[in-house]
Amino acid sequence: MLEDAVEFAENPEPRCPCILLLDTSGSMKGEPLDALNEGLRTFQQELDRDSLAKKRVEVAIVTFNSDVEIVQDFVTADDFQPPVLKAKGLTHMGEAILRGLDMLQIRKALYREHGVSYYRPWLFLITDGEPQGEAEELIEQATQRIRDDEANKHVAFFAVGVEAADMSRLSQISVRDPLKLKGLNFKELFVWLSASMQQVSQSAQMDEQLPLPPVTWTGA
């Protein structure tokens, strides 16, 4: 598309794509979702302070409840405006993971088409539950794709459990150990995520997993 050609011509910096897979099922209603929305605003503000990250980090947001929706397609951090999320329905987590992996494949093909290099993409899942209301085959397919893509350095997948999230179920899906958010400390989580994205975007290593800032937002 002409729009893509113009975008990459105007900003040929390497890209660091990050998709947030956010649980907006009914159980997130109220204080949890309010805290998540505030965390997204913090994420935008933190990225906006780094002149290089603003050009290199690309953010997309996929929400999942009984539906899976791309509420923010890929934009560089300088154009990212956090949406206000609403909660409803069940937890179609497997479908959301597959959607995110598909989006990354398409985005990487676009980078290659326009001669833009890129860092290993991040897929960052936040949920307060477990897969619900979808076929088990979708979960199995998503789990296998994560394992294959991690093994081939195609993606770095992170899972964060909130409040009553089923951490053992998340550990079956994720290659990395899932992390438990301390309370509703989304703000600190997104400060960490922004710092991690900034660190990756300034690295000369395009496909290696770098040491990340200390995690201070986890707890029972």
Side-chain angles (χ1 to χ4, degrees):
M1 291 177 59
L2 179 60
E3 184 179 340
D4 294 322
V6 170
E7 175 191 347
F8 292 123
E10 291 180 344
N11 176 12
E13 292 283 348
R15 296 304 204 272
C16 181
C18 175
I19 298 182
L20 305 177
L21 301 179
L22 304 179
D23 183 346
T24 55
S25 60
S27 56
M28 286 287 289
K29 196 169 187 176
E31 190 178 359
L33 201 67
D34 291 343
L36 177 56
N37 280 320
E38 183 182 355
L40 289 174
R41 291 191 291 272
T42 297
F43 186 46
Q44 186 271 330
Q45 292 162 3
E46 292 293 317
L47 285 175
D48 197 52
R49 292 177 180 154
D50 187 311
S51 58
L52 192 59
K54 285 200 295 186
K55 296 179 180 179
R56 291 186 171 184
V57 176
E58 288 191 342
V59 180
I61 296 178
V62 174
T63 58
F64 58 98
N65 40 66
S66 295
D67 301 303
V68 173
E69 182 183 359
I70 301 171
V71 297
Q72 173 64 70
D73 210 341
F74 286 106
V75 289
T76 48
D78 56 352
D79 286 331
F80 173 54
Q81 294 297 322
V84 177
L85 305 177
K86 300 183 184 301
K88 63 177 183 177
L90 302 177
T91 314
H92 287 194
M93 186 185 300
E95 183 185 348
I97 293 171
L98 293 171
R99 179 76 61 86
L101 292 171
D102 288 345
M103 288 172 65
L104 289 175
Q105 282 189 332
I106 294 168
R107 195 65 181 172
K108 288 189 289 185
L110 194 63
Y111 296 150
R112 291 191 291 268
E113 181 183 341
H114 292 278
V116 172
S117 56
Y118 57 89
Y119 298 90
R120 191 193 308 190
W122 279 36
L123 200 58
F124 203 85
L125 173 81
I126 298 176
T127 180
D128 73 336
E130 61 179 321
Q132 183 187 48
E134 62 183 350
E136 184 63 29
E137 290 78 11
L138 280 176
I139 311 298
E140 293 171 359
Q141 186 181 348
T143 300
Q144 189 58 53
R145 281 189 62 182
I146 288 169
R147 296 190 185 287
D148 291 345
D149 282 0
E150 283 272 17
N152 292 310
K153 297 183 177 181
H154 292 163
V155 72
F157 179 81
F158 298 84
V160 176
V162 181
E163 296 198 315
D166 187 334
M167 301 304 289
S168 62
R169 189 74 169 100
L170 287 179
S171 68
Q172 295 168 8
I173 296 170
S174 177
V175 173
R176 292 176 177 79
D177 289 338
L179 298 170
K180 181 70 181 289
L181 185 68
K182 181 166 51 181
L184 293 174
N185 202 359
F186 286 110
K187 197 166 184 178
E188 193 173 339
L189 181 157
F190 279 107
V191 169
W192 176 88
L193 180 58
S194 173
S196 300
M197 291 288 97
Q198 292 172 46
Q199 192 165 312
V200 170
S201 70
Q202 293 167 15
S203 169
Q205 304 174 59
M206 304 299 286
D207 64 350
E208 295 301 318
Q209 184 64 57
L210 301 171
L212 299 174
V215 175
T216 59
W217 41 267
T218 58

